[in-house]
Amino acid sequence: MSLVVDFCIFGMFGITLEVLFTSVKNFFRGLVVGERDYSLKGESYFWMFFIYGSAVFLFYYVYPVMSSWDLLFRLLTYGVLILLCEYVFGWLLEKLTGKCPWEYTSRFSVSGFIRLDYLPVWMVLG
């Protein structure tokens, strides 16, 4: 039962962070283009609950193995694993639904599924 509860906690935590991140990003993007919008509207996708929730499996099985590793190497590994999962889930969603919910267009994007410049963010969140 603990795994189900943790799955839900990871899912809700991930969606909450995503909504916070997109609201702040949209606020500052609006300031740059001269559109002041103080609503702080954030967004996510229903699929993300399951994607963020599934991270519990990664940390249940990976963390015990890596807990004795050097902190920097552990953070880098977390970041790379999260990027790998994001790529796989993006690819799967595109194959299953015809569209990936996120479409990165940055020069740092890989196939539109991940952004390599987000690695430091994923390292810290990992």
Side-chain angles (χ1 to χ4, degrees), residues 15-90:
I15 286 194
T16 300
L17 282 179
E18 184 169 345
V19 170
L20 285 170
F21 177 81
T22 57
S23 67
V24 169
K25 182 180 80 171
N26 291 339
F27 173 76
F28 284 110
R29 181 180 292 154
L31 289 179
V32 169
V33 296
E35 297 174 8
R36 293 186 181 196
D37 181 4
Y38 299 108
S39 66
L40 293 175
K41 179 183 175 191
E43 58 191 350
S44 188
Y45 303 93
F46 184 68
W47 287 109
M48 299 312 292
F49 174 78
F50 302 103
I51 292 171
Y52 289 125
S54 69
V56 76
F57 300 111
L58 183 68
F59 293 109
Y60 258 78
Y61 301 108
V62 173
Y63 178 76
V65 173
M66 295 178 13
S67 62
S68 63
W69 295 4
D70 178 62
L71 178 62
L72 185 59
F73 188 65
R74 203 168 53 217
L75 292 175
L76 183 61
T77 304
Y78 286 147
V80 169
L81 286 173
I82 291 170
L83 283 174
L84 179 64
C85 289
E86 184 180 24
Y87 187 92
V88 168
F89 281 120

Side-chain angles (χ1 to χ4, degrees), residues 83 86-87 94 100 102-119 122:
L83 283 174
E86 184 180 24
Y87 187 92
E94 186 174 90
C100 176
W102 59 91
E103 296 175 25
Y104 297 127
T105 57
S106 159
R107 64 183 173 143
F108 299 107
S109 70
V110 178
S111 303
F113 298 132
I114 61 172
R115 283 184 56 169
L116 297 177
D117 57 327
Y118 282 2
L119 178 62
W122 294 131

